[in-house]
Structures are given as C-alpha cells and as structure tokens.
Amino acid sequence: MNPTMHATTVLAVRRDGQTAFAADGQVTFGEVVMKHTARKVRWLYQNRVLAGIAGSAADAQALMDRFESKLESVGGNLRRAAVEFAKDWRTDRVLRHLNALMVVADADTLLVVAGDGNVLEPDEGVVGIGSGGAYAQAAAQALLKHTQLTAREIAEEALRIAARLCIYTNDHITVEVMDAQ
C-alpha cells in the first residue's frame, strides 16, 4: 500500500518589474512530515530563469533536470523551451507518468507547464501551484490589488496565509526574486 504523497506550495508574483517565487519547505509522505526545510525553487539557465515545482520529490527533480536541458538546447528561449518540454512530457513513455506541475519565469514571461501538454500564462501576473496553491494565489491577488507591497513581500505573506490554511504547507518559506532586465 502506497501512502498518498502531497505536493507543496509554490507561488510566483510579478509586480513593478520584479518576479518573486516563494515556496514552503514541507515534504509530506502519507500522514508524516518528512522534512521541513526543502528547497523547491531553483535558478536555471545561467541564473536567468526561475523555476518552482510541485509534486513528488523524485519526479520534481527529474522534470527540473529535463527542463533545464531543454532550456539549454533552445538558447534560453523560455516560451519555446516550455512548449517543447510540455510536448515531451505528454508524449514520452517515462515522463508522462511523472506527477508534478511547474512554474517558470524569465524577465519577460511567467508560465505554468503541465504534463498534459498545457503551457499557460496567467493573466494577472500571479500563479500558485500545489496543495496550497489556490490559497496562496488568492491571497496574493488580494495583496496586489489592495496594497503597495513589493513582489517579494506579497509572495512571502501569501505563503504565510496558505500555510495557516493548508496542512501540507509550512511556514519555512524560501523566496527568490528576479529583477527585469
């Protein structure tokens, strides 16, 4: 019997030329918290692309490595890499069984990449994925609309709110910020 694995929470927020990625640190296996300080956001392609991934740890690492290779092969063109990677993820016999969701961004673009072949660009410059993603995204949208907080501050506070609501999200938050070129 396999215990249920629950994903993480990753949030990306764009405001005033900055993109902030925030993620919690909790890794849950069944009913047990196995780790509190995991890092789920990574810099890719010469530190010009940020990526966050929600899903099982092994699947997430495999997908992140494959996506980074795809970025390298297309000279860092994020849109092209995302579309080609999503196609590979959907059609590859091994990859299509991996269970995860990715958020990727460069200075100009913010995308969600899914294993079903979808590549989506959020309308409002904010996206949350994983177990607490909807909570974090809703909080971030409210903070964007009703405050003057920076992208970093919004991402951190929205993750704190999600951690209070989602049992698979903790408040050990990692934040990475990218400035527009």
Side-chain angles (χ1 to χ4, degrees):
M1 187 163 108
N2 291 333
T4 302
M5 286 194 185
H6 290 279
T8 187
T9 301
V10 177
L11 177 70
V13 177
R14 294 196 119 162
R15 174 175 254 179
D16 299 331
Q18 286 192 324
T19 302
F21 272 52
D24 76 311
Q26 184 167 307
V27 175
T28 308
F29 189 72
E31 297 176 2
V32 177
V33 176
M34 300 293 289
K35 185 172 178 71
H36 299 278
T37 60
R39 291 190 57 87
K40 302 166 185 176
V41 176
R42 217 168 102 181
W43 286 94
L44 305 174
Y45 192 71
Q46 304 165 3
N47 291 333
R48 294 186 349 208
V49 172
L50 271 173
I53 195 159
S56 71
D59 291 356
Q61 186 61 50
L63 290 166
M64 193 77 77
D65 290 345
R66 294 284 289 265
F67 184 72
E68 187 164 29
S69 294
K70 187 64 72 176
L71 267 172
E72 294 286 338
S73 75
V74 297
N77 182 320
L78 184 64
R79 283 186 193 278
R80 184 169 168 211
V83 169
E84 289 184 16
F85 179 72
K87 183 179 80 173
D88 290 350
W89 190 354
R90 182 175 53 81
T91 60
D92 184 273
R93 287 177 34 178
V94 174
L95 287 181
R96 71 176 167 226
H97 297 289
L98 301 183
N99 185 23
L101 197 60
M102 292 178 65
V103 177
V104 294
D106 63 12
D108 302 313
T109 307
L110 174 62
L111 302 169
V112 177
V113 183
D116 62 1
N118 278 311
V119 176
L120 307 167
E121 186 168 15
D123 290 333
E124 298 181 15
V126 68
V127 66
I129 61 171
S131 299
Y135 304 119
Q137 184 171 334
Q141 287 174 330
L143 291 167
L144 270 169
K145 185 174 181 179
H146 297 290
T147 72
Q148 294 304 310
L149 296 174
T150 66
R152 176 187 200 95
E153 292 166 333
I154 290 170
E156 284 182 285
E157 185 56 28
L159 241 307
R160 281 191 187 86
I161 291 167
R164 290 194 298 268
L165 298 170
C166 177
I167 63 171
Y168 300 109
T169 302
N170 72 8
D171 61 0
H172 182 22
I173 299 167
T174 301
V175 179
E176 296 288 348
V177 178
M178 176 189 323
D179 291 316
Q181 307 274 350

